[in-house]
């Protein structure tokens, strides 16, 4: 059965702002709106606009949309006033099609007659709340009051369970009761919406934390005598993952490969690119690539995956021989690792052959340097977030020399492993006078015979 087309009707003085109070209406639907003068409802309105409209309801006249097909069948209702004494504007729709045209963002509450016929309904179910469900789907951000016959409290309660803010009995309705119910429904809808958004925000935050934790690496060191520790602190507020990345794997020949890198920038795109580079590094390393060949392939990955041609990444890779006494070192624009041995002062590994950062120079080369580690040692790889924090109130930064001095002092205090890294990052933060703005990643490998 086709839906009837609503007829044109004039906007009352209250609706157009020319009256000081709503007149007594003959039935609830005595005040009517002109569909031709109302802006069509737009499904694609942004959430911010709806939220702004909701937040200003206390400063403007409330608007009620009455959906009822029998204007003459309702009791006479006196003028409706909101809590501040302003008139509540009333629009009337006789069917769902007309309601959709009148349902603009300045409508705060809908009063729906549950006995409204549902023309055009195609299913054969006996759902008594079909019209209510349709209205809730049509107006998910609006407060809804259900209007039912006296004695039909069960149906009204079910309407609330389905999604209405409250229900009213038709035969017991008066202006004071309806005005209070409208205010209550609007406030309850606002509260429910705020609570839902808060819950959704918490859920998204939890999902993001789980995702970011899953993107952090799990070292593959089974069978290796080396001890591993790492510390990670993203620079982005309330984030778990930044543009810094690291990984450690042991290949079947017994070689332990370690890597640490830093994508320029601090946003989620940089964090995603760092994860891609780390995964690519692990795959290429397990496939047998190392040194210049590996870094050249990683540069190709970065060039294809970056969102801007100016984005680059620094990288440090170390491959430790199966006997643990020697290592190969490749630097791509990255700070040199720190090595500490018993009876010797910690020092930085050579960085004379430091190549360019990935993504800067097409066809660049990255020489691999051979480094003697000795029988017992600790090797610390880090990103520049550890050394670029300020020292005191001035513009002086910690730098590599300050970091070496700090680690030397902490080692002399007996700090090792996770405890050493935790204390190092905390001290850098304290020297900076607060949270560091850059990401910080530190990786530590120890060989103790």
């Amino acid at each position: 059965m086709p839906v009837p087309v609503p007829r044109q009707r004039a906007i009352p003085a209250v609706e157009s702002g020319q009256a000081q109070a709503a007149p007594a209406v003959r039935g609830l639907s005595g005040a009517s709106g002109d569909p031709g003068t109302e802006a069509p409802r737009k499904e694609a309105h942004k959430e911010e606009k709806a939220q702004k409209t909701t937040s200003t309801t206390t400063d403007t006249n409330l608007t009620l949309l009455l959906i009822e097909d029998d204007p003459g069948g309702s009791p006479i209702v006196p003028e409706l006033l909101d809590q501040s004494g302003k008139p509540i504007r009333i629009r009337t729709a006789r069917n769902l099609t007309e309601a959709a045209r009148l349902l603009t963002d300045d409508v705060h509450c809908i009063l729906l007659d549950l006995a409204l016929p549902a023309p055009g309904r195609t299913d054969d179910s006996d759902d008594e709340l079909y019209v209510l469900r349709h209205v809730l789907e049509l107006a998910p951000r609006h407060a809804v009051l259900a209007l039912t016959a006296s004695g039909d409290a069960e149906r009204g309660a079910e309407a609330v369970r389905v999604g209405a803010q409250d229900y009213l009995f038709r035969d017991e309705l008066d202006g004071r009761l309806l005005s209070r119910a409208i205010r209550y429904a609007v406030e309850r809808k606002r509260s429910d919406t705020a609570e839902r958004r808060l819950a959704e925000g918490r859920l998204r935050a939890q999902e993001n934390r789980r995702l970011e934790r899953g993107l952090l690496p799990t070292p593959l060191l089974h069978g290796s005598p080396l001890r591993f520790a790492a510390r990670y602190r993203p620079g982005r507020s309330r984030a778990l993952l930044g543009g810094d990345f690291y990984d450690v794997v042991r290949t079947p020949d017994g070689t332990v490969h370690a890597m640490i890198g830093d994508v320029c920038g601090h946003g989620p795109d940089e964090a995603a690119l760092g994860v891609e580079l780390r995964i690519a590094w692990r795959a290429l390393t397990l496939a047998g690539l190392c040194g210049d060949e590996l870094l050249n392939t990683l540069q190709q990955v970065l060039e294809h995956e970056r969102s801007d041609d100016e984005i680059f990444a620094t990288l440090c890779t170390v491959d430790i021989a199966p006997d643990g006494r020697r290592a190969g070192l490749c630097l791509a624009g990255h700070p040199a690792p720190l090595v500490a041995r018993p009876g010797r002062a910690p020092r930085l590994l050579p960085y004379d052959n430091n190549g360019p950062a990935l993504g800067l120079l097409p066809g660049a080369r990255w020489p691999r340097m051979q480094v003697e580690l000795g029988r017992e040692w600790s090797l610390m790889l880090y990103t520049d977030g550890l050394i670029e924090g300020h020292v005191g109130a001035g513009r002086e930064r910690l730098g590599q020399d300050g970091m070496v001095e700090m680690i030397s002092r902490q080692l002399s205090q007996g700090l090792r492993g996770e405890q050493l890294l935790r204390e190092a990052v905390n001290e850098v933060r304290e020297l900076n006078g607060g949270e560091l703005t850059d990401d910080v990643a530190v990786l530590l490998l120890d060989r103790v015979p």
Side-chain angles (χ1 to χ4, degrees):
M1 179 179 178
V3 179
V5 178
R7 59 182 176 87
Q8 300 287 326
R9 290 178 291 180
I11 297 179
V14 173
E15 186 69 24
S16 61
Q18 298 175 359
Q20 297 301 315
V25 292
R26 186 177 182 181
L28 287 176
S29 52
S32 58
D34 183 355
T37 62
E38 296 289 339
R41 181 174 181 269
K42 297 181 179 179
E43 291 286 341
H45 274 177
K46 294 182 179 180
E47 189 73 20
E48 298 85 42
K49 184 175 181 181
Q51 185 175 2
K52 181 178 179 182
T53 301
T54 302
S55 64
T56 58
T57 56
T58 56
D59 300 325
T60 60
N61 293 56
L62 290 174
T63 300
L64 173 72
L65 175 60
L66 171 64
I67 307 177
E68 183 187 32
D69 72 329
D70 186 10
S74 299
I76 297 176
V77 176
E79 64 184 33
L80 302 177
L81 301 177
D82 64 16
Q83 193 169 9
S84 61
K86 296 179 180 179
I88 296 177
R89 298 178 297 187
I90 303 175
R91 299 178 188 172
T92 304
R94 295 174 300 165
N95 52 61
L96 297 180
T97 300
E98 189 173 348
R101 299 181 64 182
L102 294 174
L103 189 60
T104 51
D105 282 338
D106 59 339
V107 172
H108 303 109
C109 185
I110 299 170
L111 181 59
L112 173 65
D113 186 356
L114 295 181
L116 184 74
R121 180 175 175 182
T122 57
D123 63 84
D124 297 327
S125 67
D126 295 329
D127 186 1
E128 295 182 343
L129 300 178
Y130 173 84
V131 174
L132 173 62
R133 298 180 196 276
H134 185 89
V135 169
L136 292 174
E137 186 176 331
L138 185 69
R141 295 190 296 268
H142 293 74
V144 177
L145 286 171
L147 188 62
T148 187
S150 298
D152 198 2
E154 184 176 349
R155 189 180 186 186
E158 181 63 23
V160 173
R161 284 192 292 269
V162 168
Q165 272 58 60
D166 203 350
Y167 69 93
L168 302 168
F169 294 133
R170 172 190 294 275
D171 300 337
E172 300 177 8
L173 200 61
D174 58 35
R176 185 178 179 182
L177 174 62
L178 180 56
S179 298
R180 185 169 65 248
I182 292 171
R183 295 196 301 269
Y184 167 79
V186 171
E187 292 302 322
R188 181 175 178 181
K189 182 64 177 181
R190 182 189 302 175
S191 176
D192 291 345
T193 299
E195 185 176 352
R196 174 180 55 80
R197 288 174 180 164
L198 180 61
E200 290 175 350
R202 289 173 176 169
L203 181 60
R204 283 194 298 270
Q206 292 173 359
E207 291 174 345
N208 288 339
R209 285 194 291 269
R210 284 196 295 268
L211 176 61
E212 290 180 333
R213 287 193 188 99
L215 293 176
L216 289 173
T218 301
L220 298 180
L221 283 174
H222 181 70
S224 172
L226 301 183
R227 296 184 302 189
F228 167 85
R231 194 75 175 168
Y232 195 99
R233 182 189 291 269
R236 286 187 297 140
S237 175
R238 305 177 73 177
L240 291 176
L241 197 65
D244 291 2
F245 55 99
Y246 66 89
D247 205 353
V248 178
V249 299
R250 180 177 183 268
T251 48
D253 63 356
T255 302
V256 172
H257 303 261
M259 169 273 290
I260 198 165
D262 183 3
V263 177
C264 66
H266 308 288
D269 290 340
E270 288 75 15
L273 181 57
V275 172
E276 290 180 285
L277 292 175
R278 178 186 68 78
I279 294 174
W281 177 87
R282 174 175 284 200
L284 294 170
T285 299
L286 293 176
L289 275 68
C290 66
D292 186 73
E293 185 180 12
L294 186 149
L295 292 178
N296 182 63
T297 308
L298 279 181
Q299 175 160 273
Q300 295 180 46
V301 173
L302 183 145
E303 291 171 347
H304 284 88
E305 297 296 333
R306 62 186 176 184
S307 58
D308 189 290
D309 289 343
E310 296 184 358
I311 292 179
F312 62 90
T314 66
L315 195 71
C316 168
T317 67
V318 176
D319 54 276
I320 303 169
D323 63 7
R325 293 176 173 271
R326 302 177 309 281
L329 172 66
C330 286
L331 296 174
H334 200 87
L338 177 147
V339 63
R341 303 184 184 93
R344 302 185 189 180
R347 67 178 181 87
L348 299 176
L349 291 180
Y351 51 88
D352 298 338
N353 291 328
N354 196 335
L358 302 180
L360 292 182
L361 299 175
R365 302 299 300 271
W366 295 273
R368 178 177 178 274
M369 296 172 285
Q370 188 73 19
V371 179
E372 294 295 328
L373 296 177
R375 181 171 179 269
E376 184 177 348
W377 46 264
S378 294
L379 185 65
M380 190 177 83
L381 284 62
Y382 54 93
T383 58
D384 59 6
L386 188 69
I387 60 177
E388 291 189 349
H390 291 281
V391 179
R395 302 185 64 181
E396 182 183 358
R397 298 183 183 273
L398 178 64
Q400 287 181 292
D401 292 340
M403 180 201 67
V404 171
E405 181 182 346
M406 178 187 69
I407 296 299
S408 178
R409 172 171 39 83
Q410 292 171 348
L411 286 171
S412 67
Q413 296 171 354
L415 300 180
R416 296 292 186 276
E418 293 277 0
Q419 188 180 13
L420 172 65
L421 298 187
R422 181 171 58 253
E423 184 62 28
V425 174
N426 288 342
E427 183 170 336
V428 168
R429 178 181 174 277
E430 291 174 3
L431 291 172
N432 188 62
E435 289 295 341
L436 300 165
T437 58
D438 198 3
D439 305 327
V440 177
V442 193
L443 184 158
L444 186 66
L445 289 171
D446 293 312
R447 183 175 189 268
V448 180

